[in-house]
């Protein structure tokens, strides 16, 4: 069959018959299984073009009315076309043909012409459903019903009594009307129209319910189709009709009666869920008896869950759904639950019934209900009220032994701290016992890990309850001797070794000072017992070391208690470190690493406990340095972390210098030697001793720089000598003890950085310079072949884990023929270690700040050595650089110890070049992947790694660029301290002042009422009435606040070159094909637009102070040119999908398709993630412009309507840009603008109108008649 002619030949209403024939022919072609692909494609294109044809509505109505001639599938499609035309505004209420369509559709029901024989039972159900959707769409969009069509409802009620099919169609009509009002497409309606329809459904619901009861119970009882339609109607009306209205009509009894019907059981449970999974406080107040009766009925239904033995799948599903219903009811009605003890008892009884159900999955759902009920029954005193005694459990609350372990399957962190009578250890032991055989089952993997996590949450929530903590410690003290005596026996009836260690890790770290002296002393005794216990195997010792690494907070609490009682040191600290040092000295490599990791954790978490024994600890550890080579860096990190306990700059600096002096003395000559031409390549291919030494030093320096932290409290900074004498706001505010070492190491880092990337370019398209062909080929076998760890990192970074491929590629790059495989493998590992730790060491050096940011040669290094590594690196190595170096320095909390002037100069020196180089390099990588001839050939892993690495690097780059515009805007806490301000009095620059909003009041004049200094948006005054602060980055009312001193947005938006570079980076990333990068870039562009429109103060949304600012109109033009124009261009030309046969398609093809494809939700099409992202980016711009336009009109004393937009250039140009979108026109934009300026429309309505415009422009064409959510 051929499909034709083309639509252009059928252009008038007179040709609608021919068009109808072609539509029927095309649908039949699509339905026929024998149709060839070419013909099917032509038919599909024909169908998709129908939306724009002027005669499509007339043809579809003609087909819909041809009950005898048209096949059911064709009529179904015709009704879809009619519904779509009504929803999209192509059937206007005032047109004569619309009245004809209304009359025709109603007559199909009133005169039974929907069926050729007059018997509606002959019409297939799917056609009937689509017919009611078309009738509902015409009634909503193309009439003034109910006011302009008052007879319709009565006519429907009368005709619905003729047969069960008539009644089903009437109920489906009202269900579809309610569904249409809740969809996105309803944004096309005016606010008044939408409210009128909702009010009519709400006000006339009793009349509708009477009709429902009549046809279901009296006229046509026992009809499955009618019962289903009634249940679906009740479910849909729940969104607009209060629960008490359903109860008045006794519909709860109707639903309860249908619960036994398997055919509609799921719909009945959904109806109950829609009733109760929302706040019903008003219903409880106005109809208390009926509401309690309903809730009692629901809770009593759970009594059937006590049946013994195996139940069928249907019973399981309904019981699980009922458990979810009870859970959602509790979540949505917490205030009512707290006020009504009878409601607590009912819900508790229901949860207990579910907990006895013979399915662990149902128990999972029900167990989350119990903590909520307990919290309501045993509420905590509110803040500000006097401390009162814990409430006694009510009479109905009796936790039974068999139910206790099941509570560990719930979100137990919600349990109130007054819940001391619950035996946590016993419940944990029993929970581990009853789930020991479930952990490996396919439907419940990791159930015991979940229980262990619940125990951690529980102990954290109950840490301030002395009775609970002490009881747990005593239980462990009694239990552990038996466990340690026979750790190999993991009997099901008793707590095993691993489970006991988990409990230790949950209880001991949560011992606080508030737990009481008795609990703290018991914790010390328990630690001593754990240390002294002999263990038979290395695996048991490893678990003990892991636990000891988590005991740091408890040791610090012991030190605090000892100091209060006059004890100089913690008795357990010396035996603890003796044990750790003994393992480090004589243990296996694995145990040595665990002991070193525990040392680091304890040194960081227990400064008060370490301070009295610091000197002895350092001396013992320093003696071990020479005996361990591979783990030197871990011991260095532990020693530097321990030194911070001194809280004395001179002492910490002396320790660092003494510790690292030998390493620094090796570093200079070593890097000078390795920087010589050919030295690195010769070392890799020959003697690797110098490379090994460089790797070891990099590890040590990076560890020391990370561990060398400065105090955060101003008094400790002053007392410890960390403050910089004579600070002039041009350098660091707080001195770092590692500054001297970092300053000495930095030049060597720069020379090694440059030499390394020159010698080992990892880009497949680059060859090492200055080498003969044979030597270069040998070097490429190392530099371009990824090491196993790199392949594993690339594999685990995918959206869907590719462990199977990682295993298959365990050796993706075999050594070249004739080479020693072990030596090649060791060389690749060494090269990867050098590269990654070179980046980490540089990032850690930047985090030291003192001595690095003030280094006289840093500016030259930033413009040369530290940027050259981006040009010749594999995209995965680009990602390593971005994450290890630049995300450290430019993180939201980065460089807080530096003055604003120093932060600004560093950003100005680094960011423009970094953004340009990284964006250019990534653009080159994407260009290669788009062009098949440019993709690396040969090893398929190399191609796959290039794709995945490019995706990873793009995401990290966009993360960095977005963070720069989203976080920051006020001076750092250290600078505020140094300048003597607490609220941000001084320390601003002239550039920042230009972005500052003018103060809404005179200097020194306080605002009435609430203090709005952090969120009001005006200029903040210092205590002495000084100048303005840096711009605040939002506020508590939706502006998007950042904490003081965090981020670089204040610098970015006051430095033109930096702002241009960051904006260019975000716009460049909009062209890349990775959906996650694109989505994050849209968020970043939105933040940039709001920053520009708010003068740099907010990044999420504008506030009133920004809208009324005198410069607001000019800022709109800036946001329009910098952000809105590129976004509209992106909509016009989005990134193309990756080729279906390339490696890039394998990596991101499915996510890309999902990102640009609308999702179907409950039979309706939701916007694609791309459309939602673009809408989110444009929304604050358009909303802000409209608000500013309203303010401008108010000042000019003119009405803010669409006719005045010509006097507001920014909004006028924005409308023109939106009108240029695909499937958009001036009329549609005018409708959007009218909605945006309508004072009666809420934000949801306005946002829905914008979303409809954007989704029409960027989403694929919906199938004709497809309903949009």
């Amino acid at each position: 069959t051929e499909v034709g002619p083309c639509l252009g030949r059928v252009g008038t209403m007179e040709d609608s018959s021919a068009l109808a024939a072609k539509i029927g022919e095309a649908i039949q072609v699509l339905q026929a299984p024998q149709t060839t692909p070419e013909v099917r494609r032509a038919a599909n294109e024909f169908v998709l073009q129908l939306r724009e044809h002027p005669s499509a509505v007339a043809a579809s109505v003609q087909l819909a009315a041809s009950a005898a001639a048209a096949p059911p599938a064709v009529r179904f499609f015709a009704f879809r076309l009619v519904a779509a035309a009504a929803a999209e505004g192509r059937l206007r209420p005032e047109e004569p043909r619309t009245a004809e369509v209304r009359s025709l559709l109603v007559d199909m029901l009133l005169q039974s012409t929907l069926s050729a024989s007059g018997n509606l039972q002959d019409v297939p159900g799917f056609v009937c459903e689509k017919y009611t959707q078309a009738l509902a769409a015409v009634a909503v969009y193309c009439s003034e019903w109910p006011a302009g069509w008052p007879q319709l409802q009565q006519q429907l009620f009368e005709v619905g009594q003729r047969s069960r099919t008539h009644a089903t169609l009437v109920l489906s009509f009202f269900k579809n009307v309610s569904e249409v009002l809740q969809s996105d497409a309803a944004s096309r309606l005016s606010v008044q129209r939408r409210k009128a329809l909702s009010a009519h459904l709400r006000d006339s619901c009793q009349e509708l319910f009477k009709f429902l009861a009549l046809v279901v119970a009296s006229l046509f009882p026992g009809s499955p189709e009618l019962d289903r339609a009634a249940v679906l109607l009740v479910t849909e009306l729940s969104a607009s009709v209060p629960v008490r209205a359903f109860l008045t009509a006794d519909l709860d009894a109707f639903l309860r009666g249908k619960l036994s019907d398997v055919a509609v059981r799921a719909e009945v449970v959904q109806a109950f869920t829609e009733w109760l999974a929302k706040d019903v406080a008003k219903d409880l107040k106005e109809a208390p008896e009926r509401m309690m009766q309903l809730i009692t009925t629901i809770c009593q239904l759970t009594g059937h869950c006590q049946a013994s033995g195996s139940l069928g799948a249907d019973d399981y599903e309904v019981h699980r759904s009922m458990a979810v219903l009870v859970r959602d009811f509790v979540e949505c009605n917490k205030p009512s639950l707290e006020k009504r003890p009878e409601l607590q008892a009912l819900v508790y009884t229901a949860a207990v019934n579910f907990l006895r159900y013979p399915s662990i999955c149902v128990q999972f759902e029900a167990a989350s209900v119990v903590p909520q009920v307990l919290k309501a029954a045993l509420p905590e005193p509110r803040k500000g009220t006097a401390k009162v005694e814990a409430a006694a459990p009510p009479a109905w609350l009796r936790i039974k032994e068999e139910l206790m372990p099941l509570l560990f399957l719930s979100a137990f962190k919600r349990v109130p701290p007054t819940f001391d009578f619950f035996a946590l250890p016993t419940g944990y032991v029993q929970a581990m016992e009853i789930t020991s055989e479930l952990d490996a089952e396919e439907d419940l993997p990791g159930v015991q890990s979940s229980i262990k996590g619940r125990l951690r949450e529980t102990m954290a929530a109950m840490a301030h309850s002395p009775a609970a903590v002490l009881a747990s410690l005593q239980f462990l003290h009694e239990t552990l001797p038996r466990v340690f005596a026979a750790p190999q026996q993991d009997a099901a009836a008793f707590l095993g070794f691993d489970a006991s260690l988990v409990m230790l890790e949950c209880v001991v770290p949560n011992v606080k000072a508030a737990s009481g002296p008795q609990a703290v002393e018991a914790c010390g005794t328990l630690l001593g017992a754990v240390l002294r216990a002999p263990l038979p195997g290395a695996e048991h010792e490893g678990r003990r070391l892991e636990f000891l690494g988590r005991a740091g907070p408890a040791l610090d609490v012991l030190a605090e208690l000892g100091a209060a009682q006059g004890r100089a040191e913690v008795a357990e600290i010396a035996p603890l470190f003796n044990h750790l040092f003994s393992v480090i000295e004589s243990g296996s490599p694995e145990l040595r690493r665990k002991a070193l990791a525990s040392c680091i954790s304890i040194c960081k978490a227990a400064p008060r406990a370490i301070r009295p024994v610091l000197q002895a600890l350092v001396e013992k550890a320093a003696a071990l340095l020479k005996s361990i080579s591979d783990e030197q860096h871990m011991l260095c990190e532990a020693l530097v972390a321990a030194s911070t306990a001194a809280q004395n700059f001179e002492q910490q600096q002396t320790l660092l210098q003494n510790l690292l002096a030998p390493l620094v003395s090796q570093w200079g000559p070593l890097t000078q030697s390795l920087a010589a031409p050919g030295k690195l390549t010769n070392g890799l291919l020959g003697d690797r001793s110098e490379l090994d030494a460089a790797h070891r030093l990099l590890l040590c320096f990076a560890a020391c720089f990370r561990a060398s932290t400065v105090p955060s409290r101003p008094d400790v900074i002053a007392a410890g000598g960390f403050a910089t004498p004579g600070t002039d706001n041009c350098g660091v505010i707080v001195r770092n003890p590692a500054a001297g070492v970092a300053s000495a190491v930095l030049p060597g880092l720069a020379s090694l950085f440059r030499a390394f990337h020159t010698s080992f370019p990892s880009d497949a398209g680059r060859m090492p310079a200055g080498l003969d062909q044979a030597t270069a080929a040998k070097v490429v076998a190392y530099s371009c072949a990824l090491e196993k760890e790199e392949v594993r990192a690339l594999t685990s970074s995918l959206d869907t884990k590719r462990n199977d491929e990682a295993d298959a590629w365990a050796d993706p790059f075999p050594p070249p023929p004739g080479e020693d495989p072990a030596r090649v493998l060791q060389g690749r590992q060494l090269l990867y270690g050098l590269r990654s730790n070179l980046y980490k060491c540089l990032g850690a050096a930047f985090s030291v700040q003192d001595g690095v940011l003030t280094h006289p040669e840093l500016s030259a290094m930033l413009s040369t050595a530290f940027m050259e590594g981006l040009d010749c690196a594999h995209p995965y190595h680009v990602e390593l650089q971005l994450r290890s170096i630049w995300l450290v320095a430019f993180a939201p909390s980065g460089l807080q110890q530096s003055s604003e002037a120093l932060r600004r100069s560093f950003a100005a020196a680094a960011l423009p070049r970094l953004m340009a180089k990284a964006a250019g390099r990534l653009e080159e990588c994407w260009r290669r992947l788009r062009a098949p001839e440019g993709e690396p050939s040969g090893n398929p892993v190399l191609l796959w790694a290039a794709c995945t690495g490019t995706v990873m690097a793009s995401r990290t780059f966009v993360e960095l660029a977005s963070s720069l515009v989203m976080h920051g805007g006020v001076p750092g806490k250290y600078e505020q301290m140094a300048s003597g301000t607490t609220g941000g009095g001084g320390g601003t620059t002239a550039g920042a002042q230009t972005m500052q909003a003018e103060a809404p009041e005179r200097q020194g004049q306080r605002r009435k009422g609430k203090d709005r200094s952090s969120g009001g948006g005006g200029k903040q005054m210092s205590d002495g009435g000084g100048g303005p602060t840096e711009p605040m980055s939002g506020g508590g009312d939706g502006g998007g606040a950042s904490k003081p001193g965090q981020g670089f947005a204040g610098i970015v938006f006051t430095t033109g070159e930096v702002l241009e570079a960051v904006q260019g980076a975000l716009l460049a990333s909009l062209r890349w094909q990775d959906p996650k990068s694109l989505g994050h870039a849209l968020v970043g562009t939105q933040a940039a637009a709001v920053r520009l429109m708010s003068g740099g103060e907010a990044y999420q949304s504008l506030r009133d102070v920004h809208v009324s600012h005198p410069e607001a109109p000019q800022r709109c033009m800036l946001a329009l040119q910098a952000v809105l124009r590129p976004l509209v261009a992106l909509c016009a030309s989005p990134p193309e999908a990756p080729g279906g046969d390339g490696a890039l398609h394998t990596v991101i093809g499915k996510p890309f398709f999902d990102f640009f494809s609308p999702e179907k939700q409950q039979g309706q099409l939701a916007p694609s993630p791309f459309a939602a992202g673009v809408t989110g980016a444009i929304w604050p711009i358009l909303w802000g412009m409209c608000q500013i336009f309203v303010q401008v009109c108010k000042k000019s004393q003119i009405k803010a309507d669409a006719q005045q937009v010509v006097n507001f250039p920014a909004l006028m140009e924005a409308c023109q840009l939106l009108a240029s979108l695909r499937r958009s026109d001036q009329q549609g934009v005018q409708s959007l603008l009218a909605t945006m300026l309508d004072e009666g429309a809420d934000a949801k309505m306005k946002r829905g109108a914008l979303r409809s415009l954007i989704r029409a422009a960027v989403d694929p064409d919906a199938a004709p008649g497809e309903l949009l959510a």
Side-chain angles (χ1 to χ4, degrees), residues 210 231 303 337 343 471 658 709 759 772 821 910 934 965 1039 1107 1196 1233 1265:
K210 288 179 182 178
V231 174
L337 198 67
L343 199 55
N658 294 337
T709 58
S759 302
D772 59 82
V965 299
V1107 170
S1196 303
L1233 186 60

Side-chain angles (χ1 to χ4, degrees), residues 251-451:
L251 286 180
D252 55 329
F254 164 71
L255 292 179
R256 189 169 66 252
K258 295 302 176 185
L259 194 59
S260 60
D261 187 351
V262 177
V264 294
R265 178 180 288 166
E267 287 79 8
V268 170
V269 175
Q270 182 62 34
F272 278 133
T273 303
E274 293 293 337
W275 283 7
L276 295 179
K278 59 184 178 182
D279 188 356
V280 295
K282 191 172 182 180
D283 297 293
L284 280 167
K285 181 180 179 180
E286 297 189 8
E289 294 182 2
R290 292 304 302 270
M291 281 299 298
M292 288 303 298
Q293 180 183 353
L294 170 65
I295 299 170
T296 302
T297 299
I298 296 295
C299 292
Q300 288 176 347
L301 286 172
T302 63
H304 300 295
C305 296
Q306 300 180 39
S308 60
S310 176
L311 298 179
D314 292 331
D315 294 312
Y316 159 73
E317 286 297 338
V318 72
H319 292 149
R320 185 175 181 274
S321 299
M322 294 297 288
V324 173
L325 165 58
V326 174
R327 183 201 66 194
D328 292 346
F329 169 73
V330 171
E331 285 282 346
C332 298
N333 291 275
K334 294 177 184 178
S336 299
L337 198 67
E338 292 177 1
K339 298 174 184 177
R340 295 174 178 267
E342 70 279 10
L343 199 55
Q344 299 167 12
L346 273 175
V347 176
Y348 173 76
T349 303
V352 169
N353 287 334
F354 281 124
L355 286 171
R356 295 192 182 107
Y357 184 75
S359 167
I360 194 71
C361 294
V362 174
Q363 292 169 357
F364 261 127
E365 302 294 348
S368 62
V369 177
V370 179
Q372 296 286 3
V373 183
L374 300 179
K375 190 171 183 179
L378 303 170
E380 298 180 58
R382 297 184 181 275
K383 290 184 178 180
T385 61
K387 193 171 184 180
V388 296
E389 292 295 327
W396 52 263
L397 178 55
R398 292 291 181 266
I399 300 292
K400 297 185 178 180
E401 290 293 325
E402 68 268 21
L403 299 181
M404 276 194 297
L406 297 176
L407 292 180
F408 276 95
L409 306 180
S410 70
F412 215 144
K413 58 186 175 182
R414 300 169 185 160
V415 171
T418 53
F419 197 34
D420 296 341
F421 60 89
F422 181 68
L424 290 174
T426 306
Y428 172 65
V429 172
Q430 294 178 357
M432 295 298 290
E433 176 186 347
I434 67 171
T435 58
S436 59
E437 297 180 359
L438 293 172
D439 196 48
E441 294 185 6
E442 292 184 0
D443 57 340
L444 286 173
V447 96
Q448 292 203 326
S449 297
S450 174
I451 293 173

Side-chain angles (χ1 to χ4, degrees), residues 1048-1072:
F1048 285 81
I1051 294 172
V1052 169
F1053 284 88
T1054 56
T1055 310
E1057 186 181 7
V1058 177
L1059 176 60
E1060 183 179 353
V1062 175
Q1063 284 182 331
L1066 288 172
L1067 296 182
S1069 60
L1070 292 176
R1071 298 191 295 268
W1072 300 336

